[in-house]
Amino acid sequence: MRFEAISWERLADAVADRVDATGPGDGSAWLKVGVDGAPAAPGGEFAERIADALRLRGRSVLAVATGGFLRPASLRFEHGKQDPDAYYSGWYDTGALWREVFGPLEPGGSGRVLPDLWDPATDRATRSPAVPLPLGGVLVVHGPFLLGHWFPFDLKVHLRLSPGALARRTDQPWTLPAFARYENEVGPADTADVVVRVDDPRRPAWTGFRD
């Protein structure tokens, strides 16, 4: 896999250009972008850069973090607070993401997306109201392990860290086996439409888009 150095600004513009040239694959009125990456990668910041670049092009955009769709602590920590297998497959409420985020953007959907569901700090529902995404709008979802659930993304971006960089920059080293499992079972670099190397977040490099 060959990488070419690029700035975050140019990268966001390139993704926005690609979005403008892409139609929703499911026949709906909304396009969906996934920014996949470990918490050590700047996924949230890059998702916002993409959103800003799209807004400058006149597109309505809603960015959603999977961190707002964690399961309650009683379920996340059922096998202890540092179980990598639970972190990989049991922390994020993928059913709620399907129901509250992707479901309203299916063909004939309401377009009203729930931006978050659960606050891990209080371990309570956020009670956030649904946000209407106008026809022709773009959903940008960011978080880890995004590419293993068949979410209906029209464009998939994977922020890649080498094992060494991931280990150095991960605040919770007990999660590292979960990311090794993700690499082995999903192969996100092979699944994504574009891969961005972020070993040094000040100097990203990318593969370009797969045809």
Side-chain angles (χ1 to χ4, degrees):
M1 188 175 294
R2 299 185 62 178
F3 291 89
E4 177 184 347
I6 190 172
S7 69
W8 286 112
E9 292 79 7
R10 287 178 52 214
L11 188 57
D13 282 337
V15 171
D17 287 342
R18 188 75 166 202
V19 167
D20 270 346
T22 302
D26 61 1
S28 73
W30 301 275
L31 195 132
K32 299 97 176 168
V33 178
V35 179
D36 172 67
E45 293 90 336
F46 186 49
E48 290 299 334
R49 284 181 181 272
I50 295 171
D52 288 342
L54 286 166
R55 291 184 185 111
L56 288 174
R57 289 161 170 76
R59 303 291 293 267
S60 296
V61 187
L62 177 62
V64 172
T66 60
F69 287 84
L70 290 175
R71 289 191 168 99
S74 60
L75 298 178
R76 298 200 312 275
F77 304 144
E78 183 177 3
H79 302 289
K81 292 187 176 182
Q82 295 187 356
D83 185 291
D85 290 326
Y87 176 63
Y88 178 67
S89 60
W91 274 42
Y92 295 93
D93 193 341
T94 54
L97 283 164
W98 275 106
R99 182 179 67 253
E100 306 292 353
V101 177
F102 294 104
L105 304 183
E106 292 177 349
S110 68
R112 296 182 59 82
V113 175
L114 196 66
D116 52 57
L117 180 65
W118 199 259
D119 183 346
T122 62
D123 200 35
R124 294 176 182 273
T126 59
R127 302 189 184 279
S128 296
V131 177
L133 186 61
L135 300 178
V138 181
L139 172 73
V140 182
V141 178
H142 59 92
F145 313 130
L146 279 182
L147 305 185
H149 302 287
W150 300 99
F151 291 140
F153 292 122
D154 300 293
L155 183 64
K156 302 181 291 289
V157 181
H158 174 58
L159 303 184
R160 185 171 185 80
L161 291 126
S162 68
L166 180 63
R168 288 192 303 272
R169 293 174 50 200
T170 295
D171 293 333
Q172 297 176 309
W174 64 269
T175 64
L176 293 174
F179 293 104
R181 180 179 170 187
Y182 183 53
E183 287 288 332
N184 291 331
E185 294 185 1
V186 176
D190 298 323
T191 303
D193 298 300
V194 60
V195 179
V196 183
R197 188 177 63 200
V198 293
D199 286 359
D200 182 346
R202 300 167 299 177
R203 299 179 177 86
W206 75 324
T207 57
F209 295 103
R210 288 195 173 96
D211 294 330

